[in-house]
Amino acid sequence: MLAKISLAAKKYKVLKYLVLSWCALFAHQSVAKVVIAIVGKTKNDSFYQQAFKGCLHFSNEHPEIECKYDGPKDFQDIRSQSMVINRLVDQKIDGLIVATTDSQHLVTRSLMALKSKNIPVITFDSDLLEKHQQYRLAYVGSNNFDFGVALGEQVKKLTNKANNTLCMQSGHHTTPNLNKRIAGVRYALSDQATAHLSGKNGWREHSRCPLFSLGKREESLKQLMHLLKMDNPPIF
C-alpha cells in the first residue's frame, strides 16, 4: 500500500489536514491573528520546509493565520529543539506543530510548560511516546511501524540468499518514528521487533548497525561509503 502512494501526494494530505485541524481549534475564537509555530527536527530539512510552505499557502486563504518556522539549524539536536520552542513561546504563539526528536526531553523541557500555558500541540511526522501523549492533542503522519514492515518486505525481494546481513541507517537514536520503522523492518524479517536481528529466518544485523547520522547528510554518505568499501557489504 505504502509503495503505491506517491510521497508528494502523501505530504500534501498530511500538511493539508494538519493545518485544517489546527484552524478548527481556534474557529470559535475572535482573534486578530492565530500564530502557529512549526518546528521540525532540523530547520534545513526540505521535508519540514515543505510543511512551512503548506502553512503559508493556507494562510494566504485565511489571513487570520500567521505561520512561524524554526528548528535546530544543522542536525537533530534535542536540546536545540527545546530551546527553539521555548524561544517561540516567549515570542507569543497560539499553538505548536512539532516533529519529535526525543520525546522525554521535549516533554520535560518544553511541552509541560506549553500545557500549563494552555498552548495546544500537534505532533507530525514523529509522535511522542505513548507515555507522553497527554502533552499533545493529536498526531498527523504515517503509521511508522507499518512503514518499517513495508520496507522489510521490499528488502526480502533484493536477495535469494539463505543467510543475509543487514545494516539500517537512521537519524537520532531516540526518535520515536524512526525507531518504530526499525522495529517494523525487524518484525518483517524475523517476527520480532525489539532486539537486533540475530539469524532468525536467515537475517542478522551487522555488529556496527544501526548507524545514526543525526540527520547530517555528509555523515550519512560517509557511513554508506564505509560500508561499501567492505569486502562483503551488508544489505543497506
Side-chain angles (χ1 to χ4, degrees), residues 186-198:
R186 288 172 175 163
Y187 183 82
L189 299 179
S190 69
D191 302 320
Q192 60 83 29
T194 54
H196 276 57
L197 302 174
S198 58

Side-chain angles (χ1 to χ4, degrees), residues 218-235:
E218 295 213 357
E219 182 65 21
S220 299
L221 288 171
K222 286 180 182 177
Q223 292 173 347
L224 172 59
M225 295 307 295
H226 177 75
L227 289 176
L228 292 178
K229 291 177 182 178
M230 294 180 177
D231 292 335
N232 294 297
I235 294 174

Side-chain angles (χ1 to χ4, degrees), residues 26-88:
F26 297 96
H28 65 287
Q29 298 184 17
S30 56
V31 294
K33 283 284 185 180
V34 175
V35 181
I36 300 172
I38 299 175
V39 176
K41 296 174 190 174
T42 57
K43 188 175 182 178
N44 63 359
D45 189 297
S46 58
F47 178 83
Y48 305 115
Q49 290 169 354
Q50 287 299 313
F52 178 52
K53 289 179 181 178
C55 188
L56 291 176
H57 178 77
F58 191 87
S59 68
N60 286 335
E61 301 172 1
H62 299 270
E64 71 277 14
I65 301 296
E66 179 182 344
C67 304
K68 290 189 174 184
Y69 177 69
D70 211 334
K73 289 184 179 180
D74 298 316
F75 65 97
Q76 295 172 13
D77 181 77
I78 62 177
R79 294 171 183 82
S80 293
Q81 188 177 49
S82 287
M83 291 171 63
V84 164
I85 292 170
N86 297 339
R87 184 169 65 245
L88 287 165

Side-chain angles (χ1 to χ4, degrees), residues 172-231:
H172 196 284
H173 67 94
T174 63
T175 302
N177 70 320
L178 302 182
N179 287 340
K180 287 184 177 180
R181 293 179 192 183
I182 290 173
V185 172
R186 288 172 175 163
Y187 183 82
L189 299 179
S190 69
D191 302 320
Q192 60 83 29
T194 54
H196 276 57
L197 302 174
S198 58
K200 185 179 179 182
N201 297 343
W203 289 93
R204 67 175 62 250
E205 285 177 69
H206 191 277
S207 60
R208 296 187 63 181
C209 300
L211 301 174
F212 298 98
S213 68
L214 302 182
K216 299 178 181 179
R217 290 168 173 78
E218 295 213 357
E219 182 65 21
S220 299
L221 288 171
K222 286 180 182 177
Q223 292 173 347
L224 172 59
M225 295 307 295
H226 177 75
L227 289 176
L228 292 178
K229 291 177 182 178
M230 294 180 177
D231 292 335

